[in-house]
Amino acid sequence: MNILITGGAGFIGQNLTYSLLKRGFKIRILDNFSPQIHVIRDLPDDLVDQVELIRADVRDRAALIQALADIDGIVHLAAETGTAQSMYQIAHYNDVNSQATAQLMDVLANAPHSIKKIVLASSRSIYGEGAYDCKVHGIVYPGARSAVQLKSHQWDPVCPHCGDVITAIPTPEVARPSPASIYAATKYAQEDLIRIAGDSLGIGTTILRFQNVYGAGQSLNNPYTGILSIFSTRIRRGMSLPIFEDGQESRDFVHVSDVVCAIELALLNDAANGGTFNVGAGEPTSVLQIANMLVDALGGKVRPGVTAQYRLGDIRHCYADLSEIRTKLKFEPQISLIKGIEAFASWVLSQPLPEDGLDKANEELKKRKMMS
């Protein structure tokens, strides 16, 4: 197969490219090397001669038409990804994520092509809060926490029916989407665009909802996304490590090699056509716990501190129910969190020490009254 990877020069894209090349695929990458993500605005030397690179923005229709020539399958990774940043760059996120995806499908609808499969990188953020169990009402899906709740330090959602205490459980794909940020809304829009247009065009489509992806090669310079990257820079600089809320908010951290495996299964398996699948480790880890793991792995001297600050649009808990992808695609995550964090820390220590941009990013949010 000839594969086009939009955003292929990024973290997940490069890892996927190396893996697909080993399988004998021919790879074309469309990427604009956004400076917020890329310090070195080029491909690694060992990829330059192995892939075709189109250096262009995914919103560029002419570039899309060029990139789609003689392609069999698309992995659509290109997107803006900062949840907090999306709350005040609304039109930009809609343009890059939603509108560019609409244009991709518009090109396929109006020009000859050879595309048989599209795999979309979506996000667990489309769920908003994940699934919870109420002792009275069973499985429930609470809405986004309000500014009033957060200001009162009411961190945990309650049952939307009776207001009682609820417990987080694995979130299945059938959960009702409830985006709590502009970023999440644009990812959900991408899903509908790909699914509806792909079905009408007779193209096999698969939607993968990634949890928090981490691993060697991720951007260490983007202060708006990737808490492991943000934390690692501050640990190396001996700076304070501020943890929002009470530190018990949890995420599902999945290693990039497991994400690459899921993408390949989606590309190569007809059983994935028309499907939507969670991709994660299937286990929750508190932000305070992951921060302490990083301090230990990096040999840091300053322990994380809980600040009780908060950001609008953040969720409390969400971790993946992997039943669907295990059953249909035989996916099973291979990299434990302990092993993955050790490997990530080893790679981080081999990289140049980035500037810390967290304080500046947080000040921007405070100025806009999106953070306490």
Side-chain angles (χ1 to χ4, degrees):
M1 295 175 72
N2 298 327
I3 302 296
L4 169 66
I5 307 176
T6 69
F11 166 45
I12 297 173
Q14 285 194 30
N15 278 276
L16 177 62
T17 296
Y18 282 115
S19 185
L20 289 178
L21 287 171
K22 289 179 182 178
R23 289 176 172 267
F25 286 67
K26 293 182 178 179
I27 305 299
R28 180 179 295 153
I29 288 173
L30 175 68
D31 203 296
N32 69 344
F33 291 89
S34 168
Q36 183 166 295
I37 300 170
H38 299 270
V39 174
I40 300 173
R41 304 188 69 186
D42 211 340
L43 292 174
D45 291 342
D46 58 347
L47 283 184
V48 170
D49 295 328
Q50 296 192 70
V51 305
E52 179 185 352
L53 172 64
I54 298 176
R55 191 183 294 267
D57 195 294
V58 72
R59 294 170 289 180
D60 184 334
R61 189 180 182 91
L64 272 177
I65 292 171
Q66 177 189 355
L68 290 168
D70 302 317
I71 290 294
D72 302 304
I74 302 168
V75 180
H76 189 32
L77 299 174
E80 292 286 7
T81 58
T83 299
Q85 188 181 39
S86 76
M87 301 298 281
Y88 61 87
Q89 292 190 3
I90 299 170
H92 177 67
Y93 271 69
N94 183 67
D95 196 28
V96 174
N97 296 356
S98 312
Q99 185 57 32
T101 301
Q103 181 159 251
L104 168 64
M105 303 312 293
D106 189 82
V107 169
L108 295 178
N110 289 287
H113 64 82
S114 53
I115 304 300
K116 303 174 184 67
K117 173 65 75 74
I118 302 174
V119 178
L120 171 67
S122 188
S123 167
R124 57 91 184 158
S125 67
I126 70 103
Y127 296 120
E129 287 293 339
Y132 289 75
D133 179 63
C134 173
K135 292 179 180 178
V136 176
H137 295 96
I139 298 175
V140 295
Y141 299 95
R145 296 172 297 170
S146 69
V148 173
Q149 286 176 297
L150 293 171
K151 189 174 182 179
S152 300
H153 294 180
Q154 297 176 20
W155 306 129
D156 289 306
V158 295
C159 176
H161 306 296
C162 65
D164 205 353
V165 174
I166 51 179
T167 304
I169 60 174
T171 301
E173 292 85 350
V174 295
R176 179 174 60 87
S178 183
S181 68
I182 298 301
Y183 166 69
T186 64
K187 297 306 289 184
Y188 189 38
Q190 282 186 314
E191 290 191 8
D192 277 346
L193 289 163
I194 291 286
R195 177 179 53 81
I196 295 169
D199 185 60
S200 71
L201 296 171
I203 299 171
T205 62
T206 305
I207 295 163
L208 300 179
R209 292 173 177 164
F210 298 158
Q211 296 286 325
N212 288 59
V213 187
Y214 75 98
Q218 69 185 89
S219 173
L220 298 177
N221 298 278
N222 188 343
Y224 296 100
T225 187
I227 63 172
L228 298 189
S229 295
I230 294 167
F231 286 173
S232 67
T233 295
R234 294 184 73 91
I235 293 168
R236 292 173 72 190
R237 288 189 169 275
M239 302 172 70
S240 65
L241 204 58
I243 307 298
F244 291 155
E245 302 183 18
D246 62 356
Q248 297 308 306
E249 61 273 26
S250 67
R251 300 292 183 266
D252 183 340
F253 294 94
V254 59
H255 194 269
V256 66
S257 63
D258 288 327
V259 169
V260 166
C261 177
I263 295 172
E264 290 179 340
L265 288 171
L267 270 176
L268 299 173
N269 194 336
D270 285 343
N273 289 350
T276 298
F277 302 96
N278 289 329
V279 180
E283 298 178 356
T285 303
S286 76
V287 173
L288 184 58
Q289 180 183 352
I290 199 75
N292 276 307
M293 289 176 69
L294 267 180
V295 170
D296 291 339
L298 292 168
K301 305 299 182 185
V302 181
R303 286 290 162 185
V306 173
T307 66
Q309 292 179 300
Y310 58 85
R311 297 184 306 186
L312 297 181
D314 278 353
I315 64 161
R316 183 64 171 173
H317 302 297
C318 186
Y319 67 106
D321 183 332
L322 300 180
S323 303
E324 187 78 359
I325 195 169
R326 281 175 168 145
T327 300
K328 291 191 176 179
L329 302 187
K330 310 305 178 186
F331 170 82
E332 191 66 43
Q334 300 297 311
I335 307 299
S336 69
L337 186 58
I338 292 175
K339 180 180 177 182
I341 289 296
E342 288 175 351
F344 173 72
S346 178
W347 170 76
V348 164
L349 292 173
S350 73
Q351 301 301 300
L353 181 57
E355 293 296 322
D356 174 67
L358 180 60
D359 288 338
K360 182 178 179 181
N362 285 346
E363 285 303 316
E364 183 68 29
L365 292 176
K366 289 176 183 178
K367 183 176 71 175
R368 297 172 181 274
K369 298 182 179 180
M370 295 178 178
M371 176 179 162
S372 66

